[in-house]
Amino acid sequence: MTDIESRIDTTRPHTARIWNYWTGGKDNYPVDREAGDRIRALHPGIGEYAKADRLFLGRAVRHLAGQEGIRQFLDIGTGLPSADNTHEVAQRIAPDARVVYVDNDPLVLAHARALLVGTPEGRTDYLDADLRDIDTILAAASKTLDLSQPVALMLLGVVIFIEDDEESYAIVRRLLDALAPGSHLVLSHTVTHPDMPDVDEAVAFWNEHGTPKLTQRTPAAVARYFDGLELLEPGVVSCSAWRWETPTADVAMYAGVGRK
């Protein structure tokens, strides 16, 4: 058994694997499917959040690689590989795009090494690190990315695992401070909203039974991550509504893209 395999706990449900289950993936275990079904019973639409967040990733990366000319992506909290990963979307538009993935989940790392293979013209690398390990992340990323040039910082559904508000804002700010002008922040976050009370119940169930625990924030608190940045239209909104031509129902995942 490898060191990575020894770190995979199949006895407790895990966020990345449940997310994978909800989006139709196969990289999950019975404990994850059971928890995912119980959460979906509490909030039937929650599986759509995972799908909407994934579609938001694709739209954001296509915009950045296409309209903004971004050729470097630092994707922290990668999650399990799925269809249209960041490097696949970016390198279809710009084959020379470079992507560094960061995650500390052993199952994610095991699959990333096997599946996340980029184009010959570009480069795709992986780092086993926690979001809080900012110096480690930046030092390792700089071996692949030129931090003196614009970078897209991808933080989809990951700052939800930082419970303390001020710590979470400080982490995002430190990462952005290390990036060049013209860099972009792409961020999504589970929200608490009076129009979606069943989400709170589902999150409470998750925090009692699953790992790692997550923190909801209000839409206004999510918007605060973009303080000091130029927000791209339409601002911080439900990820199902960010530059999506087909109207869809709001989901309790809010997202935005901001330019430094």
Side-chain angles (χ1 to χ4, degrees):
M1 179 180 293
T2 67
D3 176 61
I4 288 178
E5 289 172 335
S6 69
R7 290 164 50 196
I8 297 174
D9 183 358
T10 62
T11 65
R12 295 191 66 189
H14 192 282
T15 301
R17 301 193 306 250
I18 290 179
W19 211 249
N20 176 264
Y21 171 53
W22 283 336
T23 55
K26 305 298 182 183
D27 299 314
N28 48 74
Y29 296 96
V31 67
D32 306 306
R33 296 190 285 275
E34 179 183 355
D37 289 341
R38 291 185 67 182
I39 293 170
R40 190 150 46 192
L42 293 170
H43 183 56
I46 201 161
E48 297 306 311
Y49 296 8
K51 296 175 184 177
D53 192 49
R54 195 71 185 181
L55 291 171
F56 162 70
L57 180 151
R59 296 196 301 277
V61 173
R62 282 193 295 273
H63 173 80
L64 293 177
Q67 279 66 53
E68 302 290 341
I70 299 296
R71 296 294 180 266
Q72 304 187 109
F73 296 81
L74 177 56
D75 188 335
I76 305 177
T78 306
L80 283 163
S82 181
D84 281 348
N85 301 289
T86 296
H87 75 282
E88 293 171 317
V89 178
Q91 291 175 353
R92 276 201 294 267
I93 296 171
D96 61 338
R98 295 185 168 211
V99 179
V100 173
Y101 290 106
V102 182
D103 208 299
N104 68 342
D105 181 274
L107 188 61
V108 171
L109 292 166
H111 283 274
R113 291 175 180 177
L115 299 178
L116 300 179
V117 179
T119 59
E121 302 94 327
R123 187 170 170 185
T124 307
D125 285 331
Y126 329 96
L127 173 63
D128 179 3
D130 186 274
L131 174 61
R132 297 176 178 86
D133 299 333
I134 298 172
D135 292 339
T136 298
I137 290 172
L138 292 172
S142 67
K143 297 176 182 178
T144 300
L145 309 178
D146 180 357
L147 300 187
S148 70
Q149 298 298 314
V151 173
L153 173 62
M154 313 286 294
L155 297 173
L156 274 69
V158 63
V159 292
I160 61 176
F161 301 118
I162 307 297
E163 181 177 5
D164 183 81
D165 288 346
E166 295 310 316
E167 181 186 9
S168 71
Y169 293 127
I171 287 171
V172 175
R173 180 52 51 194
R174 279 190 61 196
L175 287 165
L176 284 170
D177 284 348
L179 303 181
S183 293
H184 288 69
L185 170 65
V186 182
L187 182 143
S188 67
H189 197 298
T190 304
V191 298
T192 179
H193 196 290
D195 294 340
M196 305 173 183
D198 47 350
V199 176
D200 297 348
E201 187 178 1
V203 169
F205 173 87
W206 170 256
N207 284 341
E208 182 179 353
H209 300 281
T211 183
K213 299 185 187 305
L214 61 87
T215 298
Q216 293 168 277
R217 294 184 170 92
T218 65
V222 175
R224 186 179 159 191
Y225 289 104
F226 296 90
D227 283 357
L229 302 179
E230 177 189 351
L231 261 179
L232 276 59
E233 292 293 338
V236 178
V237 296
S238 167
C239 62
S240 61
W242 195 90
R243 302 201 175 194
W244 189 240
E245 295 179 359
T246 304
T248 57
D250 282 359
V251 298
M253 288 287 294
Y254 271 49
V257 179
R259 181 188 297 111
K260 179 177 176 180

